[in-house]
Amino acid sequence: MAHVVTVLPQPFLACDGALRVHCIPADQDNLVWVAQCVETGEAVIVDGPPDEQMLAAIDALDANITAVWNTHTHPDHIGINVLLAQKGRLASLAVVASKGANLAIPGLTRAVDDGDTVQVGNVTAKVWRTDGHQNGHITYVFDDVIFCGDTLFAGGCGFLFDGPPEAMHNSLMRLAGLPPETRICCAHEYTTDNLAYAAFIEPGNEALMARVADVTERRALGECVVPSTIGMEQATNPFLRPGSPEIMAAMRTAGLLTESNQPADVFTAVRNYKNMGPHKGV
Ligand SMILES: [Zn+2]
């Protein structure tokens, strides 16, 4: 099936021009990221499915790929490790993944944990543990851009395979504390569905409705609307907005929230309600 993104995303610069970030659409809705040190040309691939076309697009970049960084172990994230191994190309690369990952990572050369740092060329990122989608999930945090796998999405958040909800809530709140201009490179283009749900539960949010209009227009053209920014997500992503009176009221109406105003409880209700799909077909 064709990818939901049909317009090839343009690379952008981050970290005061020291890092070039390429977005490669893969499979149906995966977004594979290549982060490249501008000065040295060295680059890392962050996650990816076993997609030959994707690999050809990465090979066509003017980049010296030296590593694969995995955020977690789902097949559409470590599939690229498997594909590179099949081609005899993995052994020459560094493979970084979480110490807390619950499955073997093909080609693993370095297991990292919260607080560790990783390097691409001359540019450094911090490793944050961001549990919730999967135990051991990690996010690579550069100065003004993050690679957060399936934790925070544009307008949404990852499904809680492992949970518990409190873990994902804590991960998201930590990411939400990054500077508002921080760009969010997540691993899927799910924005349209995420915003449909957001608008269903918080239609009075003007910033959200403006974003819906913008994203609807750009997605209709086949554009990728990722990366978003932390500031945009704080204003419009219901999973970062447990203090919104409108969202709390919607959760009470849905019968998913009783007296509690606790942010983790609101988050849990917002996540559970999305799983029920109330916004589909409206
Ligand atoms: Zn996943």
Side-chain angles (χ1 to χ4, degrees):
M1 194 185 283
H3 200 280
V4 298
V5 172
T6 54
V7 178
L8 194 64
Q10 292 301 304
F12 65 89
L13 293 174
C15 303
D16 281 331
L19 193 73
R20 182 177 293 116
V21 180
H22 309 264
C23 176
I24 313 289
D27 268 359
Q28 195 184 334
D29 52 39
N30 280 86
L31 301 174
V32 176
W33 300 94
V34 176
Q36 181 177 29
C37 172
V38 170
E39 194 175 3
T40 67
E42 289 168 69
V44 301
I45 305 169
V46 185
D47 290 341
D51 179 332
E52 295 274 2
Q53 269 187 312
M54 166 206 72
L55 190 57
I58 292 171
D59 286 339
L61 298 173
D62 183 16
N64 173 23
I65 304 291
T66 57
V68 176
W69 294 356
N70 296 118
T71 62
H72 66 295
T73 65
H74 285 152
D76 58 325
H77 294 257
I78 61 167
I80 189 165
N81 305 41
V82 176
L83 182 63
L84 287 165
Q86 282 166 356
K87 295 177 179 299
R89 293 175 55 182
L90 193 63
S92 61
L93 301 176
V95 175
V96 177
S98 171
K99 247 176 208 159
N102 60 4
L103 289 170
I105 304 277
L108 182 70
T109 59
R110 184 177 170 210
V112 292
D113 206 349
D114 194 272
D116 287 341
T117 59
V118 287
Q119 194 91 13
V120 51
N122 300 326
V123 194
T124 303
K126 285 173 286 210
V127 174
W128 282 10
R129 182 88 178 243
T130 45
D131 288 329
H133 175 70
Q134 186 188 60
N135 284 337
H137 189 296
I138 53 176
T139 292
Y140 298 95
V141 180
F142 286 90
D143 280 351
D144 58 359
V145 61
I146 63 171
F147 299 93
C148 57
D150 291 351
T151 299
L152 175 61
F153 287 132
C157 77
F159 185 78
L160 305 189
F161 286 100
D162 284 344
E166 293 74 20
M168 183 61 118
H169 173 66
N170 290 338
S171 297
L172 293 174
M173 287 298 113
R174 189 175 178 197
L175 295 175
L178 287 164
E181 66 275 13
T182 307
R183 275 179 277 209
I184 302 157
C185 296
C186 56
H188 294 274
E189 177 51 275
Y190 287 158
T191 318
T192 299
D193 179 69
N194 286 338
L195 290 183
Y197 173 65
F200 184 79
I201 62 172
E202 201 184 20
N205 180 340
E206 286 180 21
L208 169 59
M209 299 318 276
R211 186 181 187 189
V212 169
D214 175 58
V215 164
T216 301
E217 193 175 318
R218 290 171 59 197
R219 289 291 305 115
L221 298 171
E223 291 180 18
C224 184
V225 294
V226 177
S228 169
T229 63
I230 290 290
M232 175 61 86
E233 297 309 318
Q234 285 169 336
T236 60
N237 185 325
F239 298 102
L240 301 188
R241 300 176 54 73
S244 159
E246 189 177 10
I247 289 177
M248 282 193 266
M251 294 307 109
R252 292 208 164 88
T253 302
L256 296 170
L257 189 69
T258 51
E259 312 84 62
S260 172
N261 287 331
Q262 290 299 312
D265 293 334
V266 179
F267 168 80
T268 303
V270 171
R271 183 62 260 186
N272 287 339
Y273 197 31
K274 179 155 197 246
N275 297 347
M276 295 159 65
H279 58 298
K280 311 253 188 200
V282 286

